[in-house]
Amino acid sequence: MRAINPQRLDEARARLTREAVAFSFGIEPDAIEGPTRGASHIALARQVAMYLTHISFELSLSRVAAAFGRDRTTASHACHVIEDRRDDPDFDAQLDQLEAFLRSAPLPTEAGPCRH
């Protein structure tokens, strides 16, 4: 097994985060990947996913944006929105649990060519 390249690792982490957030918010993961804002609860879930990818995996906002197919200002705005909402104890506890889950995930690897 060899290490996965950084861009693919970022994409894998973003995918894991989208799945976890979608599960926690009771929505379909595809909704988070949508090209537009959509409903407010979907936009919030997308912002949470970007925020958690940034915080949990210590990725720059540029890398988070690239992994989500957005620009850096969108990722930055998402992080500011979510930081402001963390004053709500229930919302904060939900994010703490998601962050702990994401930080505990093992690193993915890429299988190299088979050797016999």
Side-chain angles (χ1 to χ4, degrees), residues 96-116:
D96 283 344
Q97 290 177 337
L98 284 164
E99 184 180 348
F101 167 76
L102 293 168
R103 285 185 182 266
S104 70
L107 285 174
T109 58
E110 227 172 35
C114 287
R115 297 170 205 244
H116 293 248

Side-chain angles (χ1 to χ4, degrees), residues 16-29 32 94 98:
L16 175 64
T17 305
R18 276 192 301 270
E19 294 282 338
V21 169
F23 179 81
S24 181
F25 279 60
I27 61 175
E28 291 296 320
I32 293 175
Q94 181 181 20
L98 284 164

Side-chain angles (χ1 to χ4, degrees), residues 2-82:
R2 59 188 160 118
I4 192 167
N5 77 49
Q7 183 179 356
R8 294 211 38 212
L9 180 58
D10 291 353
E11 291 167 359
R13 287 172 164 164
R15 191 170 42 254
L16 175 64
T17 305
R18 276 192 301 270
E19 294 282 338
V21 169
F23 179 81
S24 181
F25 279 60
I27 61 175
E28 291 296 320
D30 291 346
I32 293 175
E33 295 179 34
T36 61
R37 271 177 68 171
S40 62
H41 70 284
I42 302 296
L44 177 63
R46 184 180 302 114
Q47 289 168 333
V48 166
M50 285 190 271
Y51 171 81
L52 287 172
T53 301
H54 173 60
I55 296 300
S56 301
F57 301 114
E58 300 175 2
L59 298 182
S60 71
L61 292 174
S62 295
R63 288 173 64 187
V64 170
F68 280 85
R70 302 292 200 264
D71 61 38
R72 188 195 171 286
T73 58
T74 301
S76 177
H77 175 71
C79 290
H80 286 106
V81 167
I82 300 308

